[in-house]
Amino acid sequence: METKITVTFTDGCRRVLKSPEKLEKIDENREACFVMDNGQVYYGYCDGEVDEEGDFCLMRSIHGIGLPFNRLLGWCYKSSGRKK
């Protein structure tokens, strides 16, 4: 059974996080939020690949950072894509 984690961001929006295992299916053209197990939130674009050191790359503009996959609590797209 998969555990659903719902988070409320500082802007008031609520999202259900996708599990870290679903990172490989992420749409690299959509901005996403990545919630780490220490509560830190990162925003950016990701291709869903985890390197041999266990990090995944998060791109923000031209610069990217490597984040540890084993610390990823979950992720979600920044906007739902739904029209209100």
Side-chain angles (χ1 to χ4, degrees):
M1 184 173 128
E2 188 174 320
T3 303
K4 289 189 177 189
I5 300 172
T6 303
V7 294
T8 304
F9 293 99
T10 56
D11 64 358
C13 73
R14 294 172 51 108
R15 297 276 193 269
V16 175
L17 297 180
K18 296 180 186 300
S19 71
E21 290 75 29
K22 293 185 179 180
L23 186 63
E24 65 186 24
K25 297 181 183 200
I26 194 169
D27 181 352
E28 64 186 72
N29 297 311
R30 289 181 66 187
E31 188 173 13
C33 308
F34 300 89
V35 180
M36 306 307 278
D37 62 0
N38 63 356
Q40 286 187 297
V41 179
Y42 296 90
Y43 296 92
Y45 300 87
C46 179
D47 62 6
E49 293 184 23
V50 179
D51 66 17
E52 60 276 350
E53 283 115 28
D55 295 335
F56 65 97
C57 185
L58 178 64
M59 296 300 296
R60 304 156 111 187
S61 69
I62 342 174
H63 303 289
I65 58 171
L67 295 173
F69 180 76
N70 64 350
R71 304 249 342 256
L72 180 63
L73 188 61
W75 62 275
C76 63
Y77 292 111
K78 188 168 180 185
S79 63
S80 64
R82 291 187 222 158
K83 305 265 191 241
K84 290 187 177 185

